[in-house]
Amino acid sequence: SIEFRDVWKIYRGNGIDYPALRGVGFVVEKGEFVALQGPSGSGKTTVIYLAGGLDTPTRGEVIVNGENIGRLSEGKRAKWRRRNVGIVFQFFHLVPTLTVLENVILPMELAGYPPKEKRLERAEELLEIVGMKDKEEKFPNQLSGGEQQRVAIARALAADPHIILADEPTANLDTRNKLKIIDLLIEANRLGKTILYTTHDPQLASKADRLLKIIDGRIVSD
Amino acid sequence: SIEFRDVWKIYRGNGIDYPALRGVGFVVEKGEFVALQGPSGSGKTTVIYLAGGLDTPTRGEVIVNGENIGRLSEGKRAKWRRRNVGIVFQFFHLVPTLTVLENVILPMELAGYPPKEKRLERAEELLEIVGMKDKEEKFPNQLSGGEQQRVAIARALAADPHIILADEPTANLDTRNKLKIIDLLIEANRLGKTILYTTHDPQLASKADRLLKIIDGRIVSD
Ligand SMILES: Nc1ncnc2c1ncn2[C@@H]1O[C@H](COP(=O)(O)OP(=O)(O)OP(=O)(O)O)[C@@H](O)[C@H]1O
Ligand SMILES: Nc1ncnc2c1ncn2[C@@H]1O[C@H](COP(=O)(O)OP(=O)(O)OP(=O)(O)O)[C@@H](O)[C@H]1O
Ligand SMILES: [Mg+2]
Ligand SMILES: [Mg+2]
């Protein structure tokens, strides 16, 4: 499960403090499929970053599968992340010096799962599902926006994590590719994965078990 | 007007040639509002890059307002671009070391238009329209995805160019912000601007005078 307890995130920049999250509280139960919706700038990416241990709250607690990850050191959070979480970043963040195939294999090497001899096959299978197997030898700078997004989704699923955090996973996709990704997420959830995703797309939002709405850093409905 | 005549674009990478555009031909007349739609990886961003003189065709001609821009040198194309074109990139490409306000003023300084004493006022006005005036002192890395996109749109309109090229201008926006941007583009077109934009969003596509469909680097319907 993913639990936020009165979480504040205050960004300090140019001498002013900007509260991106102001007392956010919610629980996503194990195996739930939950959408997080809200206007541009409302705090969705910040929630994803905190839930994935990529950043820590200024105040409050982020507790994932019973572990208070906001309290862990940077190194421990990175280790925790490798074994527990797959993240689809809003702007992909593929490793520029690795090919598409290598980008999808990397999480498996870091997690030590699945066993070595199965990794190539799993990476090929995921790339096939997202329609990117024919471009597996390309580098990220040789891909279109939507192609990078699809590789990022395959990568997030690679090490078969318990939790999937996806930040606008279909924003750069045409309808056909979008439906493929929606089906993939639904299937992963059916297999028991806990999924928290943000989206501005009503079609994707409608697939969720529950909709969390966020405005100006506060959850307004649940 | 924007005219593509039998345009091929072949990317050479890792020893293989990849034809992103295969004989693309179309004309967007002066003052038209045209959408370019197609699957992920079909060549839309490549068309935008060539129409904006950011890259040159491998074969064929790109003629904008009577000028064969594919034949110009890199320096001449940059100069031509400053005075004629505003571009909204798919992934924004804001200047990281400039504030929001400075990013919007920069195109006016490069174009030498409008006159110096009017630039601040125009930048503030555009940022107000896209709902970003309260964040004008922030840097791009302190903004959310949708906020960066809105700044990128204000920047593309800043020097009042004749031609606006927009690559998925609403992909990272919630419905309310999306409608603001759609209205802004429609208004710019009403004032006589030629607009070519790509989108996966049916609502935005429906506003166009004409829909160009591209699949695997070829225009399939016009
Ligand atoms: N530098 C490059 N080297 C090799 N291939 C490239 C390069 N840049 C783009 N491509 C390929 O050219 C094709 C067209 O890319 P383009 O970015 O124009 O697609 P797009 O229609 O904008 O897609 P999307 O909707 O995903 O943004 C893609 O299949 C991509 O893999
Ligand atoms: N490093 C930072 N410094 C200052 N403010 C920041 C920083 N990062 C984000 N913010 C602010 O925090 C707020 C929340 O940002 P966040 O990226 O979480 O929004 P979002 O809901 O994901 O928006 P979008 O739908 O546009 O992607 C925004 O108003 C943004 O300006
Ligand atoms: Mg975001
Ligand atoms: Mg593109």
Side-chain angles (χ1 to χ4, degrees):
Chain A
S1 68
I2 303 168
E3 189 177 346
F4 275 50
R5 288 188 196 154
D6 191 28
V7 170
W8 288 68
K9 178 67 186 174
I10 299 171
Y11 290 111
R12 302 180 199 289
N14 323 340
I16 6 165
D17 286 353
Y18 186 84
L21 299 182
R22 312 168 201 220
V24 167
F26 66 83
V27 179
V28 175
E29 299 296 353
K30 186 171 153 49
E32 260 199 305
F33 193 53
V34 176
L36 178 63
Q37 273 201 312
S40 165
S42 57
K44 299 182 299 296
T45 295
T46 305
V47 166
I48 293 283
Y49 265 63
L50 295 185
L54 290 157
D55 203 347
T56 56
T58 311
R59 273 176 39 199
E61 264 100 54
V62 175
I63 299 162
V64 184
N65 293 343
E67 177 106 55
N68 187 332
I69 61 168
R71 297 265 168 81
L72 298 179
S73 71
E74 179 118 24
K76 285 224 166 60
R77 285 200 318 272
K79 225 184 177 142
W80 168 83
R81 210 164 32 247
R82 286 178 190 161
R83 290 193 309 282
N84 290 288
V85 179
I87 301 175
V88 182
F89 295 95
Q90 187 170 3
F91 298 111
F92 325 130
H93 301 310
L94 298 176
V95 179
T97 50
L98 298 181
T99 65
V100 162
L101 189 62
E102 291 166 347
N103 262 288
V104 177
I105 291 176
L106 180 64
M108 297 188 254
E109 288 171 354
L110 295 176
Y113 179 83
K116 252 200 181 71
E117 62 284 359
K118 286 242 184 299
R119 289 175 195 166
L120 181 64
E121 182 192 338
R122 178 158 173 80
E124 304 257 1
E125 191 188 306
L126 283 167
L127 286 172
E128 175 72 39
I129 294 171
V130 300
M132 286 296 293
K133 185 153 168 349
D134 62 334
K135 297 190 195 290
E136 65 181 32
E137 289 310 322
K138 284 196 167 188
F139 287 89
N141 72 343
Q142 300 176 312
L143 300 177
S144 76
E147 289 172 339
Q148 288 183 55
Q149 186 155 49
R150 286 182 278 150
V151 173
I153 290 163
R155 177 180 66 173
L157 297 170
D160 204 20
H162 314 296
I163 293 171
I164 295 165
L165 303 171
D167 198 355
E168 318 257 4
T170 63
N172 294 283
L173 299 179
D174 56 283
T175 307
R176 243 187 63 207
N177 277 305
K178 181 170 80 180
L179 294 174
K180 260 193 231 168
I181 297 307
I182 291 176
D183 286 348
L184 191 57
L185 293 174
I186 290 174
E187 176 62 14
N189 179 247
R190 211 180 57 70
L191 295 171
K193 309 292 174 207
T194 306
I195 300 182
L196 175 62
Y197 66 100
T198 77
T199 186
H200 292 306
D201 184 319
Q203 192 177 4
L204 179 51
S206 68
K207 306 284 182 202
D209 300 333
R210 208 154 44 95
L211 199 58
L212 289 174
K213 287 221 159 89
I214 187 168
I215 293 181
D216 284 338
R218 291 178 219 278
I219 299 285
V220 293
S221 87
D222 186 329
Chain B
S1 65
I2 303 168
E3 189 178 344
F4 275 49
R5 291 189 194 152
D6 190 28
V7 170
W8 288 69
K9 178 67 184 172
I10 299 172
Y11 290 111
R12 302 180 200 287
N14 331 338
I16 0 166
D17 286 351
Y18 185 84
L21 300 182
R22 314 164 195 228
V24 167
F26 65 83
V27 179
V28 175
E29 299 296 352
K30 185 170 152 47
E32 259 199 304
F33 193 53
V34 176
L36 178 63
Q37 272 201 313
S40 166
S42 57
K44 299 181 299 297
T45 294
T46 306
V47 165
I48 292 286
Y49 265 63
L50 295 185
L54 290 157
D55 203 347
T56 55
T58 312
R59 275 176 38 197
E61 262 100 57
V62 175
I63 299 160
V64 185
N65 291 346
E67 177 108 54
N68 186 333
I69 63 169
R71 296 267 168 77
L72 298 178
S73 71
E74 178 119 28
K76 285 227 168 60
R77 268 184 286 133
K79 223 182 181 146
W80 167 83
R81 208 162 38 243
R82 286 180 189 157
R83 290 194 307 283
N84 290 289
V85 181
I87 301 176
V88 181
F89 295 95
Q90 187 170 3
F91 298 111
F92 325 129
H93 301 309
L94 298 176
V95 179
T97 50
L98 298 180
T99 66
V100 164
L101 189 61
E102 290 166 347
N103 263 285
V104 177
I105 291 176
L106 181 64
M108 298 188 252
E109 288 170 354
L110 296 175
Y113 179 83
K116 250 204 183 67
E117 61 285 358
K118 285 243 183 300
R119 289 176 195 165
L120 181 65
E121 183 192 336
R122 179 157 173 80
E124 304 258 2
E125 193 187 303
L126 283 166
L127 287 171
E128 176 71 38
I129 294 172
V130 299
M132 285 297 294
K133 183 150 169 355
D134 62 333
K135 297 187 194 294
E136 62 182 32
E137 290 309 325
K138 284 197 168 187
F139 288 90
N141 71 344
Q142 299 177 311
L143 300 177
S144 75
E147 290 171 341
Q148 288 182 56
Q149 185 153 52
R150 286 184 278 150
V151 173
I153 291 163
R155 178 180 66 171
L157 298 170
D160 204 18
H162 314 295
I163 294 171
I164 295 166
L165 303 170
D167 198 353
E168 317 257 5
T170 63
N172 294 283
L173 299 179
D174 56 280
T175 307
R176 243 185 67 205
N177 277 305
K178 180 170 79 178
L179 294 174
K180 260 192 232 168
I181 299 306
I182 292 177
D183 285 348
L184 191 57
L185 293 174
I186 289 173
E187 175 63 10
N189 179 246
R190 211 182 55 69
L191 295 172
K193 310 288 174 213
T194 307
I195 301 182
L196 175 63
Y197 66 97
T198 77
T199 187
H200 292 306
D201 183 315
Q203 192 177 3
L204 180 51
S206 69
K207 304 288 182 204
D209 300 334
R210 207 154 46 94
L211 199 59
L212 292 174
K213 288 221 160 101
I214 187 168
I215 293 180
D216 284 337
R218 292 177 218 279
I219 299 287
V220 292
S221 86
D222 188 329

